[in-house]
Amino acid sequence: AIRPEYFPRFILIPAIATLALAFARMALALTQARNIGQERLLARTDELTGLPNRRRLVTEIDSFIEKEGALLLLDLDGFKPINDVHGHETGDKILQQVALRFERALPHGALLARLGGDEFGVIVLGSPDTTLEVAHALRATLSYPFTVGGNQISISVSIGHVRNDKNGDLLQRADAAMYEAKRSGVAIVEAAVYRP
């Protein structure tokens, strides 16, 4: 700018073009990095509820192994007839409202995930009594009906509860406890502490 004739034009024009291309490439790289971050977030998020998904829950279980707490698996009872009678759109709205009720009932630091269909998972920290209280609170959130499209719809939940006893098969044991709760009609089943 001070000495415009210092560099010949045949050097200056390619230099400016190179700088412009470098800035364009940097902008493109930043956009791609942002998109990759967004894709990673979406890969760990349930599209319908906005909750973390099964992949995220499994990842968190791996880092949860050294902490005191419990894994809860929840399966909605009587959900299939809602889709059959009222349609999938109503079923989706119910799932969104269930997710909202569950989130409100959980203590700070708990992780709620939708595992797929009408199944949810929760990692909650605390003593065995505290985590069982959380399970009862989650069950209580479904004690009053949902209103969707002028219809009053009631559902309940079966919960499998497994304390973190440092054994790595928490998900499998919580799943077995949840199916036992569903089969037996008992709302909450606590898995036995693992003893090798």
Side-chain angles (χ1 to χ4, degrees), residues 137-176:
L138 290 168
R139 181 174 178 257
T141 64
L142 302 185
S143 62
Y144 55 97
F146 296 90
T147 303
V148 177
N151 297 310
Q152 296 270 320
I153 299 171
S154 295
I155 55 174
S156 58
V157 64
S158 297
I159 302 174
H161 175 284
V162 62
R163 286 188 294 170
N164 185 13
D165 53 11
K166 314 300 186 270
N167 184 34
D169 63 351
L170 292 179
L171 192 58
Q172 181 181 0
R173 291 167 53 217
D175 194 50

Side-chain angles (χ1 to χ4, degrees), residues 1 3-13:
R3 299 169 59 189
E5 300 302 319
Y6 185 73
F7 289 109
R9 287 190 181 181
F10 69 89
I11 293 175
L12 196 56
I13 291 172

Side-chain angles (χ1 to χ4, degrees), residues 40-172:
R40 282 188 183 152
L41 179 64
L42 290 174
R44 293 174 172 248
T45 304
D46 174 59
E47 189 177 320
L48 178 65
T49 61
L51 295 174
N53 62 13
R54 177 181 288 275
R55 181 178 291 157
R56 167 86 188 279
L57 183 79
V58 169
T59 301
E60 294 296 327
I61 289 172
D62 291 342
S63 62
F64 170 64
I65 292 298
E66 297 303 317
K67 299 173 184 167
E68 182 181 28
L71 173 65
L72 312 175
L73 287 188
L74 303 91
D75 187 73
L76 301 180
D77 300 323
F79 184 75
K80 186 180 182 306
I82 293 170
N83 281 334
D84 295 344
V85 173
H86 300 285
H88 289 281
E89 187 176 330
T90 297
D92 288 349
K93 288 180 181 173
I94 293 289
L95 288 172
Q96 291 167 337
Q97 290 183 31
V98 166
L100 189 60
R101 287 188 190 182
F102 284 169
E103 280 184 308
R104 290 177 178 165
L106 288 172
H108 179 72
L111 174 75
L112 171 65
R114 179 172 174 232
L115 307 183
D118 60 348
E119 285 190 25
F120 295 83
V122 176
I123 294 175
V124 62
L125 302 177
S127 69
D129 289 340
T130 300
T131 59
L132 273 173
E133 286 175 17
V134 169
H136 285 284
L138 290 168
R139 181 174 178 257
T141 64
L142 302 185
S143 62
Y144 55 97
F146 296 90
T147 303
V148 177
N151 297 310
Q152 296 270 320
I153 299 171
S154 295
I155 55 174
S156 58
V157 64
S158 297
I159 302 174
H161 175 284
V162 62
R163 286 188 294 170
N164 185 13
D165 53 11
K166 314 300 186 270
N167 184 34
D169 63 351
L170 292 179
L171 192 58
Q172 181 181 0

